[in-house]
Amino acid sequence: MPFWDKHIETLPRDELEALQVKRLKDTVARCRKSIFYRNRLKDVDESRFTTPEDVSLIPFTTKDDLRANYDFGLVTVPRVEIVRMHSSSGTTGKATVIFHTRKDIEIWADLVARCIVMTGAGKADVFQNIISYGMFTGGLGFHYGAEKVGMLTIPSGVGNTKRQIQLMKDFNTTVFHATPSYILYVSEVMVQEGFDPKEFDLRIGFVGAEPHSEQTRQRIEDTFDISAFNSYGMSELNGPGVAFECEEKAGMHLWEDSYLLEVVDPATGEKLSPGEEGELVITTLNREAMPILRYRTGDLARVIDDGEKCPCGRTHVRISRIKGRCDDMLIVKGVNFYPSQIEDVLMSFPEVATNYQVIVERVGSLDSLTVRVELHPKMFDGDLRKLRKLEADITKSIQDEIVVSPKVEFHEPGSLPRSEGKAVRVVDKRGKI
Ligand code: DLL
């Protein structure tokens, strides 16, 4: 069983928690150097902290706090110590920026290296980083980790799909990193270009940065004949390297020597019991330039609380697949659901290709839900009976899953809008009431 840093990855729980308490105290003390936290922490006495749960004595930090304190308001080091800036990928509102010292970059690369090695990938692999470089953290974040592991790293970035395929072929890429939506698109282009996605040397895929279902992972694994690993992170907490699946694929290990996890009720902020689904709230434990305390991630998941130690030997907590962001929840005809539930249904139909879109509208005073689905080309052979049966089957399965009955529309492959970055699946035309 391969490890990058076996000592820390398998640290007994009591030692891990003691380390968390020590680092939490140091982090709070460091935070007082920033303009924002100096005030915010007036009533906090970290010298009394004895368990990781004492983190709850600290106020939350939100994305709005980061925006309001743009640009250097949360920084705790002199400007000359900062070597890197990243930005969150939000498309609305003011950007949030995150700063790193040299040591922060080292630690981040180390966390990513742990993730990579945990999947069985290593020095001998050729790694194609098919994700956006630049202010987005997926590119550089993974790049530094992969180089640290010693992989031959190809910084191919996102887009120019035919060239991506050529690179895979010419340099015998064995491991890739991509968003699930983009890598499925790559597979479609491979087929159009006369390749079989299975004929490449690929063996492992790292997929993340956007919600995706278990069915989508299965689809990726089957299409390329690889093993695909879910990767979770966010810019405010470095980027990739926060939580990642090991070879057991029984949840994502969240690196608790660097991050302190809480799961709270998104409405009240109250702590939930182990295993209950709620919003992840995360505190950085060893960041220098811009530590963040109790960050409201907006992401919904739960701790895997099966009472079992992961057979891989790692002691760090495991979290479930991310269901979506709290604000992704749709309410249609008074019923609540997440777009990921629709994806789960769609990807279980082999006739469905890789792209889909969910449209919510108000027709008169009624909500309507349309699910646009790209089908494989072979489905457009003029056999209308087959299409009608599929439409009825998909409609029923979606209704069984989310209660609301959708209108299902079929489209040819490549005809629905596609993003090279994070997929935009939902168009809500209702506007705010
Ligand atoms: O997406 C960092 C990243 C890059 C993670 C590459 C994994 C791989 P942001 O652009 O700040 O950072 O977006 C963070 O994306 O709060 C989640 O809502 C979503 N997200 C990230 N990973 C996953 C995942 C990067 N595996 C936001 N599953 C997060 C579901 C994810 N959602």
Side-chain angles (χ1 to χ4, degrees):
M1 190 80 73
F3 287 93
W4 176 252
D5 184 343
K6 187 164 185 179
H7 171 71
I8 199 76
E9 292 174 46
T10 61
L11 206 60
R13 288 297 312 174
D14 54 341
E15 289 180 44
L16 193 51
E17 283 166 22
L19 181 66
Q20 287 190 311
V21 174
K22 177 181 180 311
R23 289 188 171 172
L24 178 62
K25 288 179 172 180
D26 292 348
T27 298
V28 173
R30 168 179 282 279
C31 280
R32 292 182 198 282
K33 295 184 194 166
S34 77
I35 298 165
F36 167 67
Y37 280 120
R38 196 172 302 150
N39 250 327
R40 188 55 80 94
L41 295 172
K42 273 198 318 280
D43 300 327
V44 175
D45 178 5
E46 67 272 23
S47 68
R48 303 170 80 113
F49 290 0
T50 52
T51 74
E53 283 75 50
D54 289 334
V55 72
S56 65
L57 299 168
I58 302 171
F60 291 122
T61 304
T62 64
K63 199 167 187 90
D64 282 342
D65 291 327
L66 262 57
R67 288 199 177 115
N69 290 279
Y70 181 92
D71 42 8
F72 290 99
L74 274 80
V75 166
T76 69
V77 295
R79 270 276 287 280
V80 289
E81 300 294 323
I82 299 174
V83 300
R84 174 95 66 85
M85 178 177 114
H86 278 285
S87 170
S88 86
S89 57
T91 46
T92 54
K94 199 167 172 177
T96 53
V97 285
I98 296 91
F99 299 99
H100 302 274
T101 63
R102 190 173 299 283
K103 189 168 165 213
D104 290 333
I105 299 287
E106 276 293 312
I107 292 175
W108 179 13
D110 218 65
L111 294 176
V112 174
R114 282 187 206 171
C115 300
I116 292 173
V117 169
M118 179 159 71
T119 66
K123 227 174 133 51
D125 281 296
V126 177
F127 172 62
Q128 196 164 325
N129 203 15
I130 312 177
I131 207 151
S132 174
Y133 275 68
M135 299 281 264
F136 178 59
T137 53
L140 284 174
F142 241 91
H143 186 105
Y144 274 56
E147 282 191 351
K148 198 157 202 174
V149 169
M151 302 164 101
L152 194 175
T153 303
I154 306 176
S156 62
V158 79
N160 205 341
T161 309
K162 288 183 192 167
R163 184 155 159 266
Q164 301 282 0
I165 298 169
Q166 191 68 43
L167 287 167
M168 283 183 186
K169 201 90 219 138
D170 291 351
F171 297 97
N172 305 94
T173 302
T174 52
V175 178
F176 67 75
H177 172 217
T179 58
S181 52
Y182 187 65
I183 204 63
L184 282 170
Y185 175 63
V186 171
S187 76
E188 283 178 9
V189 178
M190 282 175 171
V191 173
Q192 281 161 23
E193 295 294 302
F195 295 110
D196 174 356
K198 294 189 177 60
E199 77 180 69
F200 295 77
D201 288 334
L202 298 169
R203 64 184 198 95
I204 288 175
F206 306 139
V207 291
E210 63 186 17
H212 58 289
S213 63
E214 186 58 43
Q215 293 285 355
T216 300
R217 181 235 295 276
Q218 200 64 55
R219 179 68 76 95
I220 294 170
E221 294 194 326
D222 294 348
T223 303
F224 292 98
D225 193 16
I226 60 165
S227 188
F229 295 86
N230 193 0
S231 152
Y232 170 73
M234 67 195 312
S235 336
E236 293 88 328
L237 306 170
N238 290 347
V242 175
F244 217 89
E245 283 176 324
C246 65
E247 283 175 299
E248 300 296 327
K249 295 188 187 167
M252 296 182 277
H253 288 283
L254 179 133
W255 298 122
E256 287 181 282
D257 55 320
S258 284
Y259 301 102
L260 179 52
L261 172 72
E262 299 165 82
V263 182
V264 305
D265 179 327
T268 64
E270 290 300 317
K271 183 177 180 221
L272 296 175
S273 320
E276 274 189 278
E277 185 178 88
E279 179 180 354
L280 304 181
V281 171
I282 298 179
T283 299
T284 65
L285 290 176
N286 52 5
R287 242 177 20 178
E288 284 188 340
M290 196 170 149
I292 303 189
L293 303 171
R294 303 194 82 203
Y295 190 60
R296 298 288 298 253
T297 65
D299 292 324
L300 290 172
R302 61 188 170 80
V303 164
I304 308 282
D305 185 38
D306 52 11
E308 302 284 326
K309 197 173 150 193
C310 186
C312 79
R314 289 175 185 82
T315 48
H316 297 238
V317 68
R318 282 169 290 148
I319 57 170
S320 68
R321 193 170 279 288
I322 308 289
K323 187 167 181 187
R325 299 187 54 77
C326 307
D327 40 23
D328 284 347
M329 189 176 76
L330 284 168
I331 306 180
V332 176
K333 296 180 185 168
V335 179
N336 305 355
F337 61 91
Y338 286 88
S340 58
Q341 292 174 266
I342 296 183
E343 175 173 317
D344 228 359
V345 171
L346 293 178
M347 292 300 141
S348 66
F349 283 87
E351 299 88 345
V352 169
T354 63
N355 203 6
Y356 70 93
Q357 200 180 32
V358 176
I359 314 276
V360 190
E361 291 167 291
R362 185 158 290 132
V363 182
S365 58
L366 282 183
D367 290 336
S368 89
L369 175 69
T370 306
V371 179
R372 297 183 172 158
V373 189
E374 288 184 12
L375 295 184
H376 284 298
K378 62 173 188 289
M379 293 302 293
F380 297 99
D381 58 2
D383 183 348
L384 286 182
R385 274 229 324 263
K386 191 171 62 183
L387 287 177
R388 265 193 226 110
K389 161 131 186 17
L390 182 63
E391 186 189 329
D393 289 350
I394 294 180
T395 306
K396 173 155 191 327
S397 300
I398 293 178
Q399 189 180 2
D400 287 349
E401 173 66 30
I402 64 169
V403 181
V404 180
S405 177
K407 179 164 171 263
V408 172
E409 277 179 9
F410 292 147
H411 293 256
E412 288 186 32
S415 57
L416 293 178
R418 189 180 280 278
S419 132
E420 285 180 346
K422 298 184 190 234
V424 182
R425 303 294 196 189
V426 179
V427 182
D428 193 338
K429 298 181 175 170
R430 294 174 296 182
K432 293 270 173 280
I433 305 165

